[in-house]
Every structure is written in structure tokens, then in C-alpha cells.
Amino acid sequence: MAEITMPRLYIKSQGEDTTKLALKLTTVPHRVIVRFTGGCGLMHPEHVNNLYQMFIAAFHGFKGAIIFGGTRMLLTADPKTVKPGITEIPPLIKKANPQCQILGVIPKTQDLRICDFGMIVSGEPDHDDFFTVNHPDIDELLIVQQSVDIEVHWETEFEECIKLTDALRTFANFDSLLISYNGGGITAKEIEATAELGWPVLLIDNSGRKTEEYCRNAAFLSNHLNVHVCDNTASALRYSLIRLGMIADRHLQVVHATTRHG
Amino acid sequence: MTSARTVTSQSRRTLILVQDFAQNVPAAFALLGSNARDKVALRITGGCSGMSESDKSDMLRFFELGMRGFAGVCWSGGTRAINQDGSINLMVTEVPGVIASSNPDCVALGTAPRTDIMSLRGESHLVFDENGATLNPSHEAILIVQDGADGRLGWDGDLRAYTQLMEQWKTYARFSALGVIAWNGGSVTKKEIINSAEHGWSTILVAGSGRAADEMIADSNFISQSNVFIVHKDDPQNLRATLINLGFIKE
């Protein structure tokens, strides 16, 4: 019998509140929420190298909350092989920083099905080169649907994340940051929407595709002073996280130590 | 001079949220409670029927002294009773605002079932119920529970909502202590006292406060429960000691 790990599942319809999950996020020692967006299936190999190590190093000492896609991509030819993507990062940060909280958000874009590798949320092993399941290394997963019979678009993920972030910012004194790495059309929409709200956005330069396009878009950057750009290195990312208040200053000393020892 | 309708909550505004009876408590309201420094919640329940103005002042003084240093969520019914002359008719619903005003890390909240159609009267002041009560502006936020847009609930119509939220604070936001303090009150208060004890919350009855609280104290079976406590209305220091002992006030 196959062994799969399933997080605690919360299912909501669009428009409903997620009170339980919002409350759970308030238990973090540092009231900040980071939203990860960006590349998954279509990243080039050069944008994957060192990706995980960079984020783990930069987030050392992080004690806030992270919301992200909550998925994992598996190769159809060998479903035990994980396809690299941005959604692999938050569980690794959580593992290295147990006080932080991570929440996966998955829009129900098709009928869901449990297989030997978890719950399939996108693609089908019978037809596609890769398929997407729930990430097994998270504790809580929010599935968003319109109704039992009606699917939602992938944009629903970021719309729900914005709604949750808004509640935490407005009613629970959280600060927020959208971090964008690589990504396609939906990532672009999320960057635009968050920038328009005036909330902090951090674009990682040289990460490829849409995020990189926005890093080069001088007009967009000059019109949105809440959008920041950082180099694709651990030290630059960490410096930005500290400067934007996502990691408390007292950890700055650790950065220097980390940098010094390579 | 502060009038009965002056907003005196710490943020100088009182948020008003509305939920339907069958729905879950809105995240916005639940999150406000998480801003309290200490993750504990005390619900003040009861009434003030038959009490003189002096007794009512003593009641507020009792809570003010007994809850000194409290930095959790203090909540009650969300209404304010107004006298004919426009002055405040002191009720237990004034307690959270009083506690929060002298303990800045405390969050004062209120809930109220919508028992009637709300209306605007006079100089646009909001009248909440058939008795002329208004919403209490000393609370950070008030959750109104309604049975549809034009339905009417009884005075216990918010019990389900606040019970649900207490349990969600405990389960999801790591609140370490939940409790009810009962002062005086009638049949709804009695229901709330029993509900509190059944949920395992610390249930503190104020002896000498009258009616429901004293009637429950007279029930020897009820007060034999390990989570039921009695303090006397003339002994606020005993209330404070009890709250410290139960983890509601951190020293």
C-alpha cells in the first residue's frame, strides 16, 4: 500500500472567510506575512540552480508566516522525481525555522483525485509530462472552490492570498511582503495587483520570465515606490528582508557571520 | 465632556461587523482579539436589574480593581443603555471599555444579537433595540449577529457565535485561558454561566451581585464543579487573585 502524507485540509468557497487559518497565522512570534509567487513548471535550469539554498540562507531566523501555492510537481515518467518550483521553498524554510508558519493555498481548477502520490490538483499522469499534487511537507492546506461543480481559475490562488493578507494587515497588525521569482502571466497579474495596493513587493532580478521583465520596467518601478528589486543572491535577498522588516534586526549579526563563513 | 455617544475605544473608532446566525464569526473580528498582549479571554456577562446608581458604580470599581493588569480580550454584550436624560446607564457592557482604558494591552470587544430592526433617531443616533439601547462605543469592535436581514433573534442569539469564537481562539490562536465572569443577570446570563461551565471554561460567579449569579451560587451541585469559582462583590482583590491563579493575569 502506498504511503502518502496529507496535510490538514480546509475547503472554502470563494467569498467565505478563513477565520481558523487566519487565527493560526497570528501565532507566529513576528507579525509579518510573506507571499511567494512565481515560477513553477516553466523555469529554465539556470534559474533553478541554488534556488533552494539561496532562500534557506536568506530566511535564516525568519519567524513570520508564509503563504504560497501549496503544490508539488511530479514527473509522469518517474513520479518519485520532484520538478523544481517556487512552491518547494516554503516547506524548506519552515523546516529550518520551526517557529514560522506556512499555509498552502490551492484553487480547485479541476476535480480532485487521490493517487498514490497525494491529491492530484492539476494535470493527469495519463496525459501530461508532469502533474501537480498537494505538497506533502505542510501542515495546513486551504482549497478554494466556487462550488462543488464549478472550478475556479489559477488566479484565485493569489486573490485569496491578497484577501487573507489584507485581513492580517488591517485587523492583526501584520506587515506583508510579496516575493516574486520568475513566473508567467498570473505572476504578472499578482505583481500588478499588489503594487497597486501599495503593499511592499520584492522582485528578484535575473530570476527569469515575468519577474525579470518587471525588474527592467523603469516606468513601472518609478510609478510604484513600494516595489523593490534585489539581486538573485542570498546576501542581497537577506538584506532586503531585513530592510523591509521581514526579519528582525537582531538577526543582522547572523548574516555577517553567515557571509563571513561563506 | 464625554457624552453617551462619544467614541472612547482605544483606537477612537468602533468597528461594526454583521454576521448571520448560521455563519462562522468573521475573520476580521476574530483577528482583533489576537492583538491582545496575553492570549486569554474573559467574557463579562450579567445585568444590573434592581441596582442603584451607587451599586453600579461600585460594580465598575470592582472590575477595575479586580482586573488590574489584565492584558487579554475582555468582552461582553455590545450594547449601551441610555437614560432619559441622555446619560449612560451603567451596565456590565461598560466593563470591557473601562478595563481597556486602564490596561492598554487589553482588547475590548462586544457582541450583540439583533433583536429588532435598527433605526436612526434624533440627531442620527443609532438605536439598536426596542428599549432604546445603542451600540457601545467603548469597544474596539462589535459583532452583530442577525437572523437574516429582517429577522429577529432573542437576547441569547449571540451565544453560539461567541462560544464558537472562544473555542477558535483556543484551538487556532493558542489562547491559554478562557472564562466567564457573571454579575447579576437573568435567564440569558444563567444560560451563559451553564454554557461556560460545560465548555470547561473558568466560570467565576460574583456573590452578592444578585439574581442569576447568586441563584447559581445557591446550586450546590453546580458550584461543586472544578472550573466554577466564587468571589464576593466586596472583594475585588479576591477576583484578582483568582484571575492570577487561573492564568488570566500575568504577573
Side-chain angles (χ1 to χ4, degrees), chain A residues 8 10 17-28 31 101 164 167-168 170-174, chain B residues 13 15 17 24-36 39 165 168-169 171-174:
Chain A
R8 186 171 285 122
Y10 298 82
D17 269 0
T18 49
T19 303
K20 291 177 180 178
L21 291 171
L23 284 175
K24 197 161 176 57
L25 296 179
T26 66
T27 61
V28 292
R31 289 206 168 194
Q101 293 269 356
L164 182 56
L168 290 168
T170 307
F171 302 109
N173 298 321
F174 270 68
Chain B
R13 66 171 187 180
L15 297 175
L17 296 113
N24 189 28
V25 174
F29 189 78
L31 285 170
L32 287 167
S34 80
N35 293 329
K39 304 307 175 219
L165 181 51
Q168 288 183 356
W169 277 332
T171 306
Y172 300 100
R174 295 187 193 150

